[in-house]
Amino acid sequence: SSLQVMWRTALRCVKANCVFAHRRMSQSPSSLSGKVAIITASTDGIGLATAEALGRRGAHVVVSSRHQANVDRAVNLLQSHNIIVTGTTCNVGKAEDREKLVQTAVDHCGGIDILVSNAAVNPFFGNIMDSTEEVWDKILAVNVKAAFLLTKLVVPHMEKRRGGNVVFVSSVGGYQPFPALGPYSVSKTALLGLTRALAPELAQSNIRVNCVAPGIIKTRFSAALWENEDLMEDFQRQLCIKRAGRPEEIGGVIAFLCSDDASYITGETITATGGMGCRL
């Protein structure tokens, strides 16, 4: 009957639309389905928020930090959000730990597509002229040298997969040094340069290299800044968005840079600072 024909036609349209919608979803340029992402210092703060952002977009995330208890806690949390996750301890300042982290990703996930270099230390607070050689050695070793050496380790694995993404986490302090955080700020400036130096070389391998420079973000690491009311008042005068940022507001920017939505962006630093004027 004509009613049955109408029903059949309607059902065919619904099915076709479902298939089309599914195809569009599976081909979404922001999707990271099937990608493997290593994120350093990812059991708390910006690192954990980044693991969550990449995981929610379909990536298999490899999380790490120095203490096993923190790794276990992060893995459990991410699994509870239905994210595919592998965890391991890693002190990025140690060569054997960096190698173990990369090997874990290859063994458990079959390769590497994304590196988010987020680990950083700041053992010094005060007048830059009071900083010692030991302070500089530690800050530069972890915040800059380890970021480069990890990149060097992952690139051959990205090349096997015909491309990839590297994202360094710098800081607004890389443009406008924070008072009392001189050496740390200088290490973050170095990451801006590292991004620029690597981008043209790695473009030949279809690997994009970018950087994010967060402003004042509410994390345990930056508590000395945002818990200090006088300092925050001073910062807020420079902000358009009159509050500290949230870790997930940086995770989203990093996820964008790792996606096909950002396929023509390399050698770039995105500042996510709430409008703090740190660059033209």
Side-chain angles (χ1 to χ4, degrees):
S1 73
S2 60
L3 199 60
Q4 282 175 316
V5 170
M6 271 169 63
W7 268 111
R8 276 203 296 271
T9 306
L11 272 172
R12 266 205 305 274
C13 286
V14 167
K15 272 186 188 159
N17 277 336
C18 285
V19 168
F20 178 65
H22 177 70
R23 275 198 196 127
R24 276 183 61 186
M25 277 167 63
S26 63
Q27 291 168 358
S28 160
S30 64
S31 166
L32 297 173
S33 187
K35 303 290 187 192
V36 177
I38 291 176
I39 307 112
T40 62
S42 43
T43 60
D44 196 11
I46 289 170
L48 181 58
T50 300
E52 178 126 12
L54 298 178
R56 282 191 190 284
R57 287 161 177 80
H60 183 156
V61 296
V62 182
V63 297
S64 65
S65 69
R66 284 175 303 169
H67 303 294
Q68 188 66 52
N70 294 344
V71 172
D72 295 340
R73 196 184 66 242
V75 166
N76 290 335
L77 176 74
L78 293 166
Q79 281 176 341
S80 76
H81 295 164
N82 297 319
I83 286 167
I84 310 162
V85 56
T86 299
T88 182
T89 53
C90 178
N91 176 346
V92 298
K94 294 182 176 173
E96 62 271 27
D97 277 24
R98 292 192 297 268
E99 282 158 21
K100 181 184 75 169
L101 176 61
V102 170
Q103 205 51 53
T104 298
V106 172
D107 293 346
H108 287 259
C109 320
I112 301 164
D113 302 283
I114 294 165
L115 169 67
V116 180
S117 178
N118 173 58
V121 294
N122 179 47
F124 177 79
F125 199 81
N127 187 320
I128 192 168
M129 290 306 289
D130 295 329
S131 59
T132 62
E133 185 174 0
E134 288 73 29
V135 160
W136 281 92
D137 285 347
K138 172 104 179 173
I139 287 176
L140 292 176
V142 173
N143 300 9
V144 184
K145 195 169 76 171
F148 168 70
L149 293 173
L150 253 178
T151 304
K152 201 169 174 178
L153 281 179
V154 300
V155 161
H157 298 287
M158 289 179 177
E159 286 176 334
K160 280 180 194 161
R161 285 158 89 99
R162 299 210 172 93
N165 276 285
V166 177
V167 180
F168 298 116
V169 180
S170 176
S171 164
V172 62
Y175 289 101
Q176 183 55 55
F178 289 120
L181 292 176
Y184 172 83
S185 299
V186 171
S187 75
K188 292 303 188 176
T189 308
L191 291 177
L192 308 178
L194 183 59
T195 302
R196 282 287 170 91
L198 285 170
E201 281 199 29
L202 295 185
Q204 298 159 30
S205 302
N206 194 31
I207 296 167
R208 294 189 293 107
V209 185
N210 290 295
C211 188
V212 178
I216 312 295
I217 309 297
K218 265 199 167 178
T219 65
R220 213 161 35 86
F221 185 80
S222 66
L225 298 177
W226 57 264
E227 282 179 351
N228 183 321
E229 280 180 34
D230 293 339
L231 258 183
M232 263 322 278
E233 230 174 84
D234 199 34
F235 282 130
Q236 271 175 329
R237 277 196 286 276
Q238 304 170 53
L239 295 170
C240 301
I241 300 169
K242 302 289 185 186
R243 60 171 175 82
R246 297 187 301 272
E248 55 270 26
E249 292 177 304
I250 305 304
V253 174
I254 293 170
F256 160 70
L257 283 173
C258 295
S259 76
D260 284 346
D261 280 332
S263 54
Y264 199 51
I265 300 176
T266 195
E268 190 54 77
T269 300
I270 294 184
T271 53
T273 66
M276 189 185 281
C278 62
R279 58 185 287 198
L280 282 176

